[in-house]
Amino acid sequence: MEFGRVTPEELELANFALPPDTALTIKTLQESKNDKPLQVHVGCAKWGRKEWVGQIYPPKTKDANFLDEYVKHFDCIELNATFYNIYSPEIIAKWRDKAEKNSEFKFCPKFSQMISHIRRLKNADELTTQYYKGIMAFGDKLGPLFLQLGDNYTPKSFPDVKTYLENLPKDVPLFLEIRHKEWFSVKENSDQLFNLLRELNIGAVITDATGRRDVVHMNLPTPHTFIRFVGNGLHPTDYARVDEWVDRITQWKEMGLQSVWFFMHQHDEQYSPKLADYVVDELNKRLGLSLKRPYFLDKGELF
């Protein structure tokens, strides 16, 4: 992922402190009625990473078998493949079948770029129908959906966002990611959008990237959080940032948080499994969970 990438010099000067909770977040969590254990899922964005062969995938693993191996290590995936293509139910069903060996596994498919970036949410009804027809084949392996608006999608298009979101099916959880700086720099814009999400019971993606600290908005319009964490090659700050997120998630749990979806990104994806493992280990310790950690071949662990 290139979003929010900085130079080594800029990295050393970055302020990674998480902002305080917003009034919206506090209200959302205070009103949350959660008598069930916190649901926590940790994963990466893609399974097709050749860099992981010999690291967490056995040597000589073929591309066609990458998903078979991925589901042994993680319980979810931020499925970016659906951003580039709208897949048929038949292909989706094959992916679902590969995940059957992991009873906890969920796919979190990203909306097609044809809908979000090319049509820009307008005249996209037919494409949206095709997208939903495909991803519904995940069945009980379907997690929340993820709609990302591009860097150049400004608050001037709020009426289009509102119309599009209001007409989406209500039976599948959805999170929205925004990136244009004016969504965050103008309070009226952010209030308008996050209040709409709250009204529609749609979550807000929080992307933690070094060069775009404004996107770490800390707004929870629903008692669920979807965190896209962008690391810097296992720089010491990666671990410190994870620690702070674990602290905040722990606080949110006590306030009423119901679920966490934590997705690991790195500018060089060879490092994602290692830091994801640290995330899982720390969440297990702090929250008393027993999430399965990825295992690494260089540690001599067996499948």
Side-chain angles (χ1 to χ4, degrees):
M1 177 189 276
E2 293 300 309
F3 182 72
R5 190 166 195 165
V6 299
T7 65
E9 293 76 19
E10 291 170 326
L11 174 58
E12 297 301 326
L13 298 174
N15 178 5
F16 288 110
L18 293 179
D21 293 342
T22 65
L24 174 67
T25 293
I26 294 171
K27 181 178 181 181
T28 296
L29 296 181
Q30 287 178 339
E31 295 178 354
S32 172
K33 297 179 179 179
N34 185 26
D35 55 0
K36 298 180 180 179
L38 178 68
Q39 296 182 29
V40 180
H41 298 268
V42 179
C44 299
K46 301 176 182 178
W47 64 71
R49 304 306 311 190
K50 295 182 184 295
E51 308 97 307
W52 299 349
V53 175
Q55 182 185 169
I56 59 173
Y57 297 168
K60 299 183 180 180
T61 300
K62 297 180 180 179
D63 292 13
N65 300 122
F66 282 174
L67 178 56
D68 301 86
E69 299 301 325
Y70 179 91
V71 301
K72 297 176 182 179
H73 300 277
F74 302 101
D75 65 7
C76 62
I77 187 162
E78 182 199 285
L79 188 57
N80 277 325
T82 52
F83 180 71
Y84 299 103
N85 291 287
I86 295 179
Y87 291 94
S88 67
E90 291 74 22
I91 292 178
I92 296 291
K94 291 179 180 179
W95 293 346
R96 178 202 64 212
D97 292 344
K98 286 177 177 286
E100 286 296 337
K101 64 189 71 173
N102 185 340
S103 61
E104 304 297 323
F105 195 86
K106 301 292 184 183
F107 294 88
C108 301
K110 191 174 183 179
F111 272 65
S112 166
Q113 63 180 338
M114 287 295 298
I115 297 169
S116 58
H117 288 60
I118 297 176
R119 295 288 179 88
R120 300 173 67 84
L121 308 185
K122 295 188 292 186
N123 301 315
D125 291 352
E126 183 176 345
L127 289 169
T128 301
T129 298
Q130 292 175 14
Y131 166 79
Y132 271 87
K133 182 178 180 181
I135 58 103
M136 292 309 292
F138 280 125
D140 63 359
K141 294 298 183 186
L142 181 62
L145 313 184
F146 163 37
L147 173 59
Q148 178 191 82
L149 301 181
D151 301 35
N152 62 358
Y153 200 97
T154 75
K156 293 180 180 179
S157 295
F158 176 79
D160 298 326
V161 178
K162 184 175 187 294
T163 298
Y164 185 76
L165 294 180
E166 287 176 339
N167 286 283
L168 287 179
K170 302 297 189 293
D171 56 343
V172 182
L174 170 67
F175 288 85
L176 176 72
E177 180 185 19
I178 49 175
R179 290 185 166 187
H180 193 278
K181 293 183 178 182
E182 290 180 6
W183 287 112
F184 310 103
S185 62
V186 181
K187 188 175 186 301
E188 180 182 353
N189 294 336
S190 57
D191 287 349
Q192 186 178 44
L193 180 67
F194 290 121
N195 286 332
L196 172 67
L197 297 183
R198 179 176 168 82
E199 292 170 10
L200 298 178
N201 196 34
I202 293 174
V205 173
I206 300 174
T207 298
D208 187 332
T210 307
R212 285 294 306 277
R213 303 312 295 166
D214 55 340
V215 185
V216 191
H217 54 76
M218 307 307 282
N219 278 291
L220 298 183
T222 70
H224 308 275
T225 188
F226 189 118
I227 301 163
R228 307 181 79 217
F229 184 99
V230 187
N232 291 294
L234 304 184
H235 187 274
T237 56
D238 283 1
Y239 296 94
R241 291 164 62 197
V242 168
D243 290 344
E244 189 169 359
W245 268 114
V246 171
D247 287 344
R248 188 62 62 91
I249 290 169
T250 302
Q251 294 172 20
W252 284 349
K253 173 182 179 292
E254 297 304 316
M255 297 169 65
L257 188 68
Q258 297 182 20
S259 71
V260 178
W261 300 86
F262 196 109
F263 293 102
M264 181 57 61
H265 295 258
Q266 290 278 350
H267 301 302
D268 183 343
E269 292 292 354
Q270 68 171 306
Y271 300 113
S272 288
K274 185 69 177 291
L275 195 58
D277 176 55
Y278 183 77
V279 172
V280 172
D281 191 32
E282 291 302 307
L283 287 171
N284 281 342
K285 291 175 183 176
R286 290 292 301 276
L287 299 176
L289 303 174
S290 55
L291 301 176
K292 186 176 181 179
R293 295 172 60 182
Y295 38 89
F296 298 84
L297 299 178
D298 61 0
K299 293 182 179 179
E301 299 182 57
L302 300 177
F303 291 87

